[in-house]
Amino acid sequence: MSDDGLTWVKATTLDDLWEGDFVDVEVEGEVVVIFHRPGGELRAFQGMCPHQEILLADGHIDFDEGTITCPAHEWQFSMDNGSGINPRGCRLFQYEVKLEGDDVFLGLPTDGRLRRLRHEAEEA
């Protein structure tokens, strides 16, 4: 399905993504990490660190602090919006997320650009 410049793709289900946990999935050739935050909120970001494309799911995920830390060089990002904490000035691409029943859908931009390479120039 497509609307507002996004194509919605089923990425996972709540059966595979419990509250307080995360999952990384491949969607149309790109790795995405999806967080089910305590309280029920879903957030999704590019799954590769923008520094050297290391899998963020292999890093340290701290739901209490709301941080995602890359395992290679400890770049750290906010789980709220993907903004760089250390270093500042970078960010993770954030996907739109919607829930239909127990199915988790991601909104993929339809402009054809790689989402993992948008971290430097675009502001939210």
Side-chain angles (χ1 to χ4, degrees), residues 8 20 50 75 87-88 97:
W8 292 93
W75 280 34
R88 296 195 183 280
V97 182

Side-chain angles (χ1 to χ4, degrees), residues 46 50 75 77 82-84 88-94 111 113-124:
Q46 71 184 62
W75 280 34
F77 304 91
S83 63
R88 296 195 183 280
C90 63
R91 76 179 312 109
L92 300 176
F93 180 81
Q94 184 172 359
D111 61 9
R113 291 179 51 211
L114 292 174
R115 291 160 301 275
R116 70 178 184 274
L117 300 178
R118 295 180 184 217
H119 61 278
E120 292 175 351
E122 295 190 11
E123 294 297 322

Side-chain angles (χ1 to χ4, degrees), residues 9-14 16-27 30-37 40-47 56-57 61 63 68 79 92-93 95-99 103-108:
V9 177
K10 181 179 171 183
T12 190
T13 68
L14 292 182
D16 294 326
L17 181 59
W18 293 52
E19 189 172 320
D21 202 2
F22 67 95
V23 65
D24 63 326
V25 296
E26 186 173 322
V27 178
E30 294 197 40
V31 178
V32 179
V33 64
I34 307 170
F35 301 95
H36 193 169
R37 299 180 74 176
E41 184 179 34
L42 296 169
R43 296 285 172 120
F45 301 99
Q46 71 184 62
L56 292 171
I61 309 300
F63 283 97
I68 307 158
M79 200 180 291
L92 300 176
F93 180 81
Y95 290 83
E96 296 288 329
V97 182
K98 70 179 175 182
L99 192 59
D103 294 333
V104 178
F105 286 84
L106 299 178
L108 307 181

